[in-house]
Amino acid sequence: MYYQKLDEFPQDFLWGAASAAYQIEGAFDEAGKGRSIWDTYAHTPGNTYQGTTGDVAVDHYHHMEEDVALMGKMGLKAYRFSVAWSRVIPDGEGAVNEAGLDFYRRLIKALRANHVEPVLTLYHWDLPQALQDKYQGWESRETIAAFKKYCQVLFAAFKDDVKYWVTFNEQNVFTSMGYRWGTHPPKVMDIKRMYAANHIINLANAEAINLFHEMVPNGLIGPSFGYGPVYPLTGDPNDVLASVNADDFNNNWWLDVYCRGEYPFFMMKQLQRMGIAPVVTAADEQLLKSAKPDFLGVNYYHGGTVQTNRLQKPVATDQQAKDFSATDPYLMQPKADQAQSPEIPAFNSVASPYLAKTEWGWEIDPVGFRVALRQVYEKYRLPIFVTENGLGAVDQLVNGQIDDQYRIDYLQAHLLAMKEAITDGVAMIGYCAWSYTDLLSWLNGYRKRYGFVYIDRDDNGPKELKRIPKASYYWYQQIIAENGQQI
Ligand code: BG6
């Protein structure tokens, strides 16, 4: 559908950029911070690309004022960051570390002084190690109580200064990587445990939302979900059915719980038949129903194409699963020539014949972004905040500059798709590009860059950590100044 003229972006549209604590802060053991499961995981040889860690990362902890000043200069309207739970409560549930809390207090103050709206993510994957050791982390309901306490500390501290809050970042990705593929901590490969932990996180999400609504009545809160539309490879009804199954498996399993307070029937029935469904009590059902997010955070990188499973291969071996998932966390199902996920062995992921790929093999699909926004809004009718979207690429520093025209092209195409979705009628709060500065890619080290601001460091070490705005920084500055009029 083509419009002669697209609607303008809303006047108060939040043009933003995002980050996550472990990927940028560094200072992993400074000022009373406790260890997180990512500190432990990255320190264990063989777990990450060339042994890269977030020990120093891009040292945002010590460059915070400089980074925020650059945001102000850019005219950025919103900055999404996450709080490292173990910086604020080192053992996850005990005493508050005032120095840790103070770092975020200073950050929020600096953002406000630069007219940048803070968007605070409560959990971007770095669970305090102490909770993993003591309770087995998200496999125990004790961790819900700890999370609630942590939320309470942050809500009380920042309720007057932060309006937008994100509960969990990409629960679909971190549970699958952590418990299905074993490529993130806690490095488990057991899908029954994955579904159990996932249910506990759903309860923690609901508790956090309800507490928030009591404590921060003027704020807005929601989860950020890694969403991708699912396409059937052909019009063969069997492939279409495969895509319906895959959509349940990849998306509805989480979104229905967040937005409707109940699990989708098809997936739940499959898990029950296999004896791997989570234990859901009547009180759990009530809690899930009671918690209503105010918006839905959508992280969009790409969708996926599926066909009906014609191979009927057996369950993935450990190695196959690892090889597969190391390349792309968004493909939740093995490719056609690989083994199956046992719960729904009825579809395979296949490459789209229509889409180009990034250097890391991720499909580039701006139309899919419009499809995603339309689908999610149609289904749940919650305003959407795009909390991540961006291009991971190797950037070249030439004569002190980075000409990342490929990133500008990628973002431009996605912004156009978003403007079309707004014209279609989707209610949108804002858009945070991933990422603001370059940062650590969890499993790909520092080579895979996403930022508007280049950080002079590589996989071998931090060098001088100089901040250098890329061509995309100046391009986005212009987009923001014109409120997206030229898109
Ligand atoms: C999202 C995460 O999954 O994708 C980010 O929320 C992550 O933390 C981003 O960095 C890009 O993934 P990757 O693997 O390219 O770093």
Side-chain angles (χ1 to χ4, degrees), residues 422-443:
I422 288 174
T423 308
D424 291 339
V426 176
M428 304 253 340
I429 296 173
Y431 169 91
C432 287
W434 185 263
S435 53
Y436 182 64
T437 61
D438 288 339
L439 40 68
L440 172 67
S441 171
W442 304 92
L443 298 180

Side-chain angles (χ1 to χ4, degrees), residues 62-189:
H62 296 112
H63 290 73
M64 185 270 284
E65 275 89 6
E66 184 185 349
D67 291 343
V68 175
L70 271 176
M71 292 177 203
K73 236 172 109 184
M74 191 192 208
L76 204 69
K77 303 269 190 229
Y79 173 59
R80 173 180 177 235
F81 61 95
S82 78
V83 171
W85 184 346
S86 66
R87 201 180 282 293
V88 174
I89 305 182
D91 70 358
E93 59 179 350
V96 172
N97 173 32
E98 282 303 328
L101 197 57
D102 192 55
F103 171 71
Y104 299 105
R105 194 173 283 123
R106 287 189 287 114
L107 167 63
I108 291 163
K109 201 166 163 211
L111 290 169
R112 287 264 171 241
N114 281 276
H115 311 290
V116 184
E117 185 80 38
V119 180
L120 190 158
T121 304
L122 290 158
Y123 186 85
H124 202 124
W125 306 354
D126 46 355
L127 183 77
Q129 180 65 44
L131 297 176
Q132 188 64 41
D133 296 342
K134 195 165 169 194
Y135 302 127
Q136 254 184 280
W138 292 116
E139 290 181 75
S140 161
R141 286 173 186 247
E142 305 279 354
T143 301
I144 304 174
F147 184 65
K148 223 176 140 181
K149 174 178 175 185
Y150 160 67
C151 289
Q152 194 188 7
V153 169
L154 293 188
F155 295 160
F158 303 132
K159 65 179 175 353
D160 297 328
D161 303 308
V162 179
K163 179 172 174 192
Y164 296 95
W165 298 70
V166 171
T167 51
F168 285 91
N169 180 70
E170 294 189 353
Q171 187 179 331
N172 53 331
V173 172
F174 80 81
T175 52
S176 303
M177 303 286 274
Y179 293 89
R180 179 193 294 280
W181 308 116
T183 49
H184 277 195
K187 207 177 178 180
V188 170
M189 296 181 81

Side-chain angles (χ1 to χ4, degrees), residues 383-400:
I384 296 177
F385 200 154
V386 174
T387 39
E388 284 184 35
N389 169 241
L391 174 70
V394 176
D395 293 333
Q396 302 296 345
L397 183 61
V398 181
N399 299 328

Side-chain angles (χ1 to χ4, degrees), residues 96 121 145 323 331 476:
V96 172
T121 304
D323 292 347
L331 287 176
Y476 200 48

Side-chain angles (χ1 to χ4, degrees), residues 2-36:
Y2 297 100
Y3 297 107
Q4 279 193 337
K5 193 175 173 328
L6 296 177
D7 287 2
E8 295 305 336
F9 284 93
Q11 274 311 314
D12 54 357
F13 190 76
L14 291 174
W15 296 98
S19 71
Y22 186 73
Q23 297 177 273
I24 60 164
E25 285 181 1
F28 79 107
D29 63 352
E30 220 172 297
K33 179 180 169 295
R35 299 293 166 103
S36 80

Side-chain angles (χ1 to χ4, degrees), residues 209-372:
I209 288 176
N210 284 346
L211 180 68
F212 181 84
H213 287 144
E214 272 168 40
M215 292 183 66
V216 197
N218 298 323
L220 299 170
I221 193 164
S224 278
F225 183 73
Y227 186 84
V230 186
Y231 308 125
L233 180 63
T234 73
D236 176 346
N238 291 300
D239 285 346
V240 175
L241 180 61
S243 74
V244 172
N245 291 337
D247 194 29
D248 236 32
F249 182 78
N250 283 354
N251 296 317
N252 305 339
W253 181 249
W254 287 274
L255 288 181
D256 279 12
V257 178
Y258 291 149
C259 306
R260 293 179 173 162
E262 61 189 19
Y263 285 101
F265 68 89
F266 168 73
M267 263 291 283
M268 187 52 115
K269 180 130 192 229
Q270 307 316 305
L271 302 190
Q272 282 163 349
R273 285 161 65 114
M274 288 184 66
I276 57 171
V279 176
V280 182
T281 67
D284 293 351
E285 278 174 2
Q286 229 181 351
L287 173 62
L288 294 178
K289 278 272 179 207
S290 69
K292 305 257 180 270
D294 302 303
F295 65 87
L296 191 62
V298 170
N299 293 358
Y300 176 79
Y301 291 91
H302 61 76
T305 302
V306 298
Q307 64 178 12
T308 190
N309 175 20
R310 298 186 176 87
L311 294 174
Q312 296 299 342
K313 278 207 178 179
V315 172
T317 63
D318 291 6
Q319 193 51 46
Q320 281 170 322
K322 213 171 168 173
D323 292 347
F324 168 75
S325 63
T327 55
D328 187 346
Y330 287 91
L331 287 176
M332 299 302 173
Q333 183 79 355
K335 293 172 191 160
D337 58 349
Q338 290 173 315
Q340 300 301 303
S341 294
E343 313 90 296
I344 315 245
F347 69 89
N348 299 121
S349 292
V350 292
S352 164
Y354 305 105
L355 300 171
K357 291 180 177 167
T358 72
E359 287 166 86
W360 269 266
W362 292 22
E363 289 175 346
I364 301 173
D365 183 12
V367 177
F369 188 27
R370 182 177 178 183
V371 173

